[in-house]
């Protein structure tokens, strides 16, 4: 009869092994998503997220978000409550280059005094802990990478391994930014206008009125811009256009 602890021992041994990544071999966001899912599966996390670090109130959380497996409704809740940009997590990341760890309180507004009412913690993060690091592009733009789950807080060698893995994965992500830079010259002025107005919260019908064209034509511009930006939908096209400073 096999030892009942064997599966647990095998998982522990796998967790202590380096997470091998070859940044040069990753060319698309799809490949990067696959690697991120492998990472959280190996180390017992449930969710991951990479987003541009909030510097001001210039954008909603969903527009800062670059890569994640967060449920759409959770992203919408953070948008509605403007919770992320004022969170303890973001405040602490601004003050250190080391990993930041903690429980659900990291997603609450920073500086919440004892006399203030408790913030309703958004599911599924209500009972989760977080491991977060601050990362920068080659040009110095700050991003935050967060792993979330109900597992114990990473420590020792595992903490260092996770930091290195996220750094390598972020380098892969930055390569996908560069790969899409050709769209800067390919997008037409009309496509850029449609994306800019959509980023400002305008619907296709409203954009049609503003630009003096039909809603069908607006939709066509969105489809072509989405294709040129190698995006899967309008929201991702807007996010990529923002990253590339097209809008």
């Amino acid at each position: 009869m096999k030892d009942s602890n064997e599966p647990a021992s095998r998982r522990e041994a796998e967790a202590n092994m380096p997470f091998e990544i070859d940044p040069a071999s990753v060319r698309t966001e799809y490949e990067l998503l696959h690697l991120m899912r492998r990472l959280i599966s190996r180390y017992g996390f449930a969710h991951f997220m990479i987003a541009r670090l909030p510097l001001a109130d210039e954008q909603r959380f969903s527009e800062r978000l670059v890569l994640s497996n967060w449920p759409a409704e959770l992203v919408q809740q953070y948008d509605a409550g403007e919770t992320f940009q004022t969170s303890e997590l973001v405040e602490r990341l601004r003050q250190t280059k080391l990993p930041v760890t903690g429980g659900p309180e990291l997603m609450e507004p920073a500086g919440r005094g004892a006399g203030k009412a408790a913030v309703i913690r958004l599911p599924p993060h209500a009972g989760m802990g977080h491991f977060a690091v601050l990362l920068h592009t080659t040009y110095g733009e700050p991003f935050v990478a967060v792993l979330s789950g109900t597992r114990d807080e990473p420590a020792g060698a595992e903490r260092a391994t996770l930091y290195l893995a996220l750094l390598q994965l972020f380098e892969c992500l930055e390569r996908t930014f560069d790969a899409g830079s050709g769209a800067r010259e390919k997008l037409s002025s009309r496509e850029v206008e449609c994306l800019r107005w959509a980023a400002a919260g305008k619907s296709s019908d409203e954009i049609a009125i503003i630009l003096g064209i039909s809603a069908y034509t607006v939709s066509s511009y969105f489809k072509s811009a989405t294709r040129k930006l190698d995006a899967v939908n309008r929201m991702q096209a807007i996010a990529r256009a923002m990253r590339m400073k097209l809008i």
Side-chain angles (χ1 to χ4, degrees), residues 9-244:
S9 300
R10 188 184 301 117
R11 286 195 299 270
E12 183 177 351
E14 289 175 351
N16 290 330
M17 292 172 61
F19 187 77
E20 299 294 340
I21 301 170
D22 178 12
S25 68
V26 182
R27 295 181 176 84
T28 67
E29 283 192 12
Y30 176 80
E31 293 172 323
L32 187 55
L33 278 167
H34 178 68
L35 282 173
M36 289 296 293
R37 292 190 179 104
R38 277 182 51 205
L39 179 71
I40 63 172
S41 176
R42 172 180 286 193
Y43 291 99
F45 291 98
H47 295 101
F48 65 84
M49 178 269 285
I50 298 178
R52 298 208 312 280
L53 186 75
L55 300 177
D57 293 331
E58 78 268 2
Q59 292 161 351
R60 297 179 302 168
F61 172 62
S62 60
E63 294 167 351
R64 297 186 181 100
L65 201 57
V66 177
L67 199 71
S68 86
N69 69 341
W70 282 23
E73 59 271 19
L74 182 63
V75 174
Q76 292 167 0
Q77 285 178 293
Y78 275 100
D79 260 348
E82 298 184 351
T83 307
F84 183 69
Q85 57 264 44
T86 62
S87 67
E88 180 72 21
L89 173 67
V90 169
E91 183 63 25
R92 288 177 58 183
L93 283 172
R94 288 190 176 119
Q95 299 173 18
T96 183
K97 294 180 177 65
L98 297 175
V100 169
T101 59
E105 72 282 353
L106 284 181
M107 292 300 185
E108 295 182 358
R112 184 174 61 81
K116 294 184 180 180
V119 175
I120 298 175
R121 292 170 178 171
L122 300 175
H125 286 170
M128 288 190 176
H130 307 284
F131 177 90
V133 297
L134 179 65
L135 302 167
H136 291 83
T137 66
T138 304
Y139 303 102
E141 186 178 5
F143 285 71
V144 52
V146 183
L147 305 179
S148 306
T150 55
R151 52 151 291 163
D152 294 338
E153 182 177 306
E158 186 184 45
R159 185 183 178 100
T161 298
L162 283 170
Y163 198 164
L164 177 60
L166 287 171
L167 185 62
Q168 291 176 315
L169 287 165
F170 185 71
E171 181 171 338
C172 296
L173 180 62
E174 190 173 2
R175 286 175 183 271
T176 69
F177 295 168
D178 296 337
S181 62
R184 195 183 304 272
E185 289 76 33
K186 295 178 183 178
L187 287 181
S188 70
S189 59
R190 279 299 200 195
E191 288 165 346
V192 171
E193 283 182 304
C194 287
L195 289 170
R196 183 178 293 121
W197 282 114
K202 301 298 183 182
S203 68
S204 293
D205 289 339
E206 290 172 323
I207 295 172
I209 294 172
I210 293 169
L211 299 181
I213 56 181
S214 71
Y216 176 81
T217 303
V218 171
S219 179
S220 296
Y221 282 134
F222 277 126
K223 287 179 181 178
S224 57
T226 299
R227 185 187 70 254
K228 291 176 182 179
L229 291 167
D230 194 25
V232 298
N233 54 38
R234 182 182 303 191
M235 183 62 72
Q236 189 180 56
I238 292 170
R240 289 192 174 185
M242 285 179 168
R243 287 204 304 267
M244 295 162 63

